[in-house]
Amino acid sequence: MKKFEFSRILNFNIEESLTKMDIYIGKELKEKTGQILFFTLILFIPSFTMRVIGIILLCSAMLVNDIKNKNVELLYFLPFSKRELFLYNLMFLVLIISITSAADKIYYNLTILEGLLAIFKTIVALLAIYGISMLFTTLGHDGFIWSIVITIADALLGDLGSTNLNAADFNPYSLISFTKQGNIVLAFLYAALICFLAYFAYIKKGGEN
């Protein structure tokens, strides 16, 4: 009887992927040490607004910057597929965000549940901002500028009215806003959708390598 291998069903070699991810992250750290370190320090500031700014800056220094400066073509020959590059970047960013957001638990003396919620809220913002910057960069626009513009617009629109369904000034957008996050589940789904659209556009443009 053949041994069941879940990874084979997904056409996914876990060991190989971890090795390639380690190589990719090592390359990024070696080439962008200064930028990554500085932007990561911003993320340690116990303020959601400052973390959003840090996320925008950090996203702009990663794959978005490689695509903008046409350095990404070299990565395809290492070889990394577009799918791998997109996901490795995202996982690396999630790791950084999780570690820096965990500092809130110490600074604000939060419970474990409150600490996890603080991490999750920052990851929601990351998914949206990473998706926006990648989507616009893939489409040939300045992902950094557009991530700033759309984040500001999201914050302004999300702050209008109330998140209370029974309030006269109820604002439905405040529930899904990735900065306001009136409803954490809906905000996560909205941010995940943005990120998925960016993923789809990136791997499809020019064909998957």
Side-chain angles (χ1 to χ4, degrees), residues 61-186:
M62 303 295 286
L63 183 56
V64 167
N65 184 64
D66 290 329
I67 296 173
K68 181 180 178 181
N69 295 319
K70 304 188 185 304
N71 295 328
V72 73
E73 300 296 330
L74 298 174
L75 296 174
Y76 298 150
F77 292 100
L78 287 180
F80 291 108
S81 68
K82 288 183 175 181
R83 178 181 66 84
E84 289 170 336
L85 289 175
F86 188 97
L87 295 178
Y88 291 167
N89 265 264
L90 181 57
M91 287 187 283
F92 181 49
L93 290 170
V94 168
L95 177 62
I96 293 176
I97 293 300
S98 298
I99 294 173
T100 54
S101 296
D104 277 358
K105 185 180 185 306
I106 301 173
Y107 186 84
Y108 292 114
N109 195 26
L110 303 176
T111 64
I112 294 177
L113 185 60
E114 289 172 334
L116 290 174
L117 182 60
I119 293 172
F120 187 66
K121 288 185 66 175
T122 313
I123 289 176
V124 169
L126 168 65
L127 287 175
I129 293 170
Y130 179 68
I132 291 167
S133 59
M134 280 296 298
L135 179 61
F136 278 90
T137 302
T138 298
L139 296 176
H141 304 290
D142 192 324
F144 174 60
I145 296 299
W146 277 105
S147 64
I148 294 175
V149 171
I150 294 178
T151 299
I152 292 175
D154 179 88
L156 293 174
L157 290 173
D159 210 37
L160 294 174
S162 170
T163 58
N164 188 340
L165 292 171
N166 298 318
D169 60 344
F170 169 61
N171 175 14
Y173 186 77
S174 66
L175 299 179
I176 65 172
S177 164
F178 60 86
T179 54
K180 180 72 173 181
Q181 298 183 24
N183 184 298
I184 190 68
V185 175
L186 293 179

